[in-house]
Amino acid sequence: MILGFMERNLSSSLLGTLLLLSLAWFLHLVRKLLPPSNFPRNIPTVPIYVSFLGLFTNMDQKEIFENYLRDHLEMYGAVKIYFASRWNILVTKPELLVEIFRDEETFAKSGNQIKIPYSVLSEYTGDNLISAHGSTWKLYRQILTTVIQFPDLNPVVGNSRKFVRSIAHAAQSGSSMLVTDVIQKFALSNIGDSMLGIDFRLFENDHSVLNEKLKFVKSHIFKPMYLNFPFLDKFPIPSRIEARQAVRSFRKYYSGLIRSLPENVSNVAGSLTKALNDGVFTEQQFTDNAMIVMIAGHENPQLLLTSLIYVLSLYQDIQQKLRDELTSVDYDEQVLDQLPYLNSIIYETLRMFPPLGQIINRITTKPVKLGDFVIPKGVYVGYNNFATGRDRTVWEDADSFSPDRWGIEIAQVNRSYSKAKGSARLPAFHGRKRACLGEKFALHEMKQVLNQLLKSFRVIPDPEWENKLTPGGPVSPWKLKVKFEAL
Ligand code: HEM
């Protein structure tokens, strides 16, 4: 009898404990639905379900932005938003961005290696020049600044020709073409030839190991589900185990390639290898930085070129006007920098389709006043290039693609561009100390390839292609297909 009494007592206290635990778990989940209570109250909250829309609906980034973010951002300049398994503050008003970019100590870089170290994404990119902070960042800059800013530009012309030649086949058949692969080949070849001093032979070999491995890795990395909820990478989900293995295999293969290159050459590969051999970089730092040069160096130009081809196909009059400008001058590489319309089109595309649409990789190191907001310590603060570039309170006629807004003469066009960057109305390449080191190279690539492309082909929209941007992550037309008509 006593035993029965004890058993009953035990099972009821076990039940009670279970109930309490479930309640605590439930409350924890409910708390997660809302931003932490110390977040500024005068910033509107984007409901958490908005973070799921790219996963479970057919909406693209633009539709989500229009319906759930735009009005708030234009009115307040910031929102509280759930992304990458946490609540963040996303800032878009230029005057606030200037403050953030200026104060690198308070808004300290804190990349995926710190924010979500367990994720497949973090294993892919590691601790690198873009995400590092303080003395580590300074060390990386010491080794890499010059070789990234002053690469060998010559191979880009040759790769532009190869790009155009590889389009010719689709153009002859009259069928539409998915542009992803050929643009990836172009952008990767440029990084290989110009910065690393290695010819990946991507145009010659359709099944290059590098290209195939990278395509596979990217198909896993940019899944909106895991970008939004990276904590899922903690669980033994078979497709994520496969993704992690693919990342490891890619890193091993790629870093082996870079290590096999000579050390005493003045380029990114040479500098990295020297830093490794001199004991300045660890193996991990060597691979992480080799990876980021390859990733940032090809991924962002790839996205921008996709968007450029998209806008040129959409606006035939702009395409023809650009072709007229390109054919009106005797071609030499420097001349392209002097063409106002060519440069304006690229700047306008950066405004409306910034490749890195949203970046949340800064954490406040102390409580800080940003405009009217008081942000506590330890909060992730990000910026949204897509929203700033389309802010109707910042840009007149923000929704229309109008290259002429940048000016008519080249000096005026470049002045408008510099001003827009300096005032953070165009943060597509960020600004100040942590501004992009590859900007000039990327712009050079765009000018060279557009010059070759438009002199050979007319780019026509494919009516069957569903006009959509990516559902989340980097900004670009989603799986863009166009037709190329030989001239
Ligand atoms: C259209 C092309 C490109 C765009 C739109 C772009 C955009 C950006 C942006 C927005 C940042 C700041 C990131 C942040 O806030 O964390 C950045 C940083 C950086 N980018 Fe680019 N990028 C492009 C091309 C390139 C290329 C070709 C390279 C060459 C390797 C490159 C190398 C870097 C590096 C090294 C940094 C970090 C600078 C630092 O923090 O010291 N980028 N880029």
Side-chain angles (χ1 to χ4, degrees):
M1 212 168 95
I2 295 174
L3 223 67
F5 176 74
M6 277 174 67
E7 266 176 17
R8 265 200 308 281
N9 253 357
L10 208 69
S11 58
S12 62
S13 68
L14 199 68
L15 197 70
T17 314
L18 276 178
L19 271 174
L20 270 177
L21 280 176
S22 316
L23 188 68
W25 178 240
F26 177 73
L27 287 176
H28 172 74
L29 283 183
V30 169
R31 268 212 352 249
K32 281 240 163 209
L33 294 179
L34 296 168
S37 55
N38 63 348
F39 271 42
R41 284 168 193 267
N42 52 351
I43 299 182
T45 299
V46 177
I48 194 167
Y49 68 82
V50 174
S51 305
F52 295 83
L53 294 173
L55 311 176
F56 301 117
T57 70
N58 192 27
M59 287 178 136
D60 69 1
Q61 300 204 45
K62 179 164 175 286
E63 288 166 288
I64 297 171
F65 162 73
E66 297 281 0
N67 291 317
Y68 300 96
L69 294 170
R70 192 174 199 173
D71 291 342
H72 286 318
L73 286 171
E74 286 180 351
M75 188 172 298
Y76 297 92
V79 289
K80 293 179 266 197
I81 192 161
Y82 190 83
F83 182 74
S85 307
R86 72 177 74 234
W87 283 94
N88 311 272
I89 295 179
L90 197 60
V91 178
T92 55
K93 278 287 174 243
E95 55 276 21
L96 302 181
L97 292 180
V98 167
E99 282 185 47
I100 294 174
F101 295 164
R102 193 185 285 152
D103 191 353
E104 190 41 40
E105 286 311 310
T106 308
F107 298 96
K109 279 270 182 123
S110 173
N112 296 328
Q113 82 283 12
I114 299 172
K115 196 167 62 166
I116 42 172
Y118 45 79
S119 67
V120 176
L121 180 60
S122 154
E123 185 143 0
Y124 183 48
T125 52
D127 171 39
N128 59 61
L129 176 52
I130 296 188
S131 58
H133 178 67
S135 54
T136 312
W137 169 69
K138 283 190 185 139
L139 172 70
Y140 296 167
R141 280 291 288 249
Q142 228 175 319
I143 305 295
L144 289 166
T145 302
T146 314
V147 280
I148 295 179
Q149 278 189 319
F150 303 101
D152 175 9
L153 295 179
N154 292 322
V156 177
V157 182
N159 288 330
S160 302
R161 293 208 178 98
K162 289 181 188 171
F163 174 84
V164 167
R165 272 204 297 275
S166 60
I167 283 172
H169 185 65
Q172 263 167 9
S173 71
S175 50
S176 74
M177 182 178 174
L178 179 70
V179 294
T180 324
D181 197 33
V182 66
I183 296 183
Q184 173 159 312
K185 283 182 182 171
F186 172 70
L188 256 185
S189 301
N190 289 339
I191 281 300
D193 292 331
S194 295
M195 292 207 185
L196 301 169
I198 179 169
D199 180 357
F200 291 134
R201 301 194 61 75
L202 303 175
F203 285 106
E204 289 77 8
N205 177 4
D206 255 349
H207 300 290
S208 121
V209 179
L210 185 86
N211 205 30
E212 293 302 307
K213 274 184 182 285
L214 189 59
K215 274 195 287 185
F216 186 69
V217 166
K218 277 160 78 167
S219 70
H220 282 289
I221 291 290
F222 294 121
K223 284 196 171 140
M225 170 73 97
Y226 299 101
L227 288 176
N228 266 315
F229 305 103
F231 73 89
L232 292 171
D233 282 344
K234 288 181 178 171
F235 301 105
I237 302 168
S239 72
R240 296 313 278 173
I241 293 172
E242 190 188 23
R244 203 177 285 281
Q245 276 162 356
V247 163
R248 284 181 187 163
S249 152
F250 181 83
R251 282 176 60 103
K252 193 163 170 227
Y253 175 77
Y254 168 73
S255 63
L257 275 184
I258 305 299
R259 282 190 76 162
S260 68
L261 299 170
E263 162 188 330
N264 50 357
V265 180
S266 170
N267 63 21
V268 170
S271 299
L272 286 172
T273 311
K274 186 166 182 335
L276 178 67
N277 292 343
D278 292 350
V280 177
F281 273 8
T282 62
E283 294 263 352
Q284 178 80 23
Q285 290 175 322
F286 168 85
T287 305
D288 288 349
N289 282 294
M291 285 294 291
I292 206 62
V293 168
M294 185 276 302
I295 296 168
H298 93 276
E299 184 78 42
N300 299 328
Q302 177 177 356
L303 296 158
L304 180 57
L305 183 53
T306 310
S307 298
L308 277 160
I309 290 180
Y310 166 71
V311 293
L312 291 171
S313 73
L314 206 60
Y315 306 111
Q316 290 290 315
D317 50 337
I318 292 179
Q319 184 184 153
Q320 188 52 45
K321 192 171 160 191
L322 174 58
R323 185 174 293 108
D324 292 344
E325 182 182 68
L326 291 167
T327 47
S328 70
V329 289
D330 278 340
Y331 172 66
D332 115 35
E333 282 175 44
Q334 273 78 41
V335 150
L336 299 180
D337 292 337
Q338 301 305 317
L339 300 182
Y341 206 55
L342 172 63
N343 286 276
S344 300
I345 288 174
I346 298 173
Y347 301 156
E348 185 67 347
T349 306
L350 280 165
R351 179 182 74 79
M352 294 197 76
F353 303 95
L356 295 173
Q358 177 171 295
I359 303 174
I360 306 181
N361 63 1
R362 284 184 164 66
I363 192 165
T364 49
T365 54
K366 59 177 190 229
V368 56
K369 192 160 185 304
L370 182 69
D372 293 336
F373 314 132
V374 179
I375 305 179
K377 180 181 168 181
V379 172
Y380 272 90
V381 175
Y383 59 112
N384 188 308
N385 288 316
F386 191 79
T388 304
R390 290 171 187 246
D391 190 322
R392 289 165 293 200
T393 67
V394 172
W395 293 92
E396 203 174 305
D397 215 359
D399 288 326
S400 91
F401 185 85
S402 47
D404 291 336
R405 75 171 75 240
W406 297 92
I408 305 299
E409 303 290 330
I410 187 67
Q412 189 189 4
V413 168
N414 284 336
R415 219 175 18 253
S416 311
Y417 179 57
S418 296
K419 270 189 177 169
K421 284 194 300 175
S423 59
R425 284 182 300 125
L426 184 75
F429 285 109
H430 192 280
R432 306 248 163 189
K433 262 196 194 163
R434 304 299 301 255
C436 176
L437 290 180
E439 174 184 356
K440 284 210 170 70
F441 181 69
L443 297 180
H444 177 77
E445 291 178 278
M446 299 305 120
K447 293 175 206 175
Q448 293 299 329
V449 73
L450 289 183
N451 178 45
Q452 305 274 343
L453 178 67
L454 293 195
K455 284 178 176 167
S456 306
F457 299 106
R458 180 167 295 114
V459 190
I460 301 170
D462 172 3
E464 314 239 304
W465 176 69
E466 193 186 3
N467 193 338
K468 289 250 170 218
L469 291 184
T470 37
V475 170
S476 147
W478 184 227
K479 297 183 178 168
L480 178 68
K481 277 184 167 182
V482 291
K483 290 186 180 183
F484 294 101
E485 193 179 87
L487 292 169

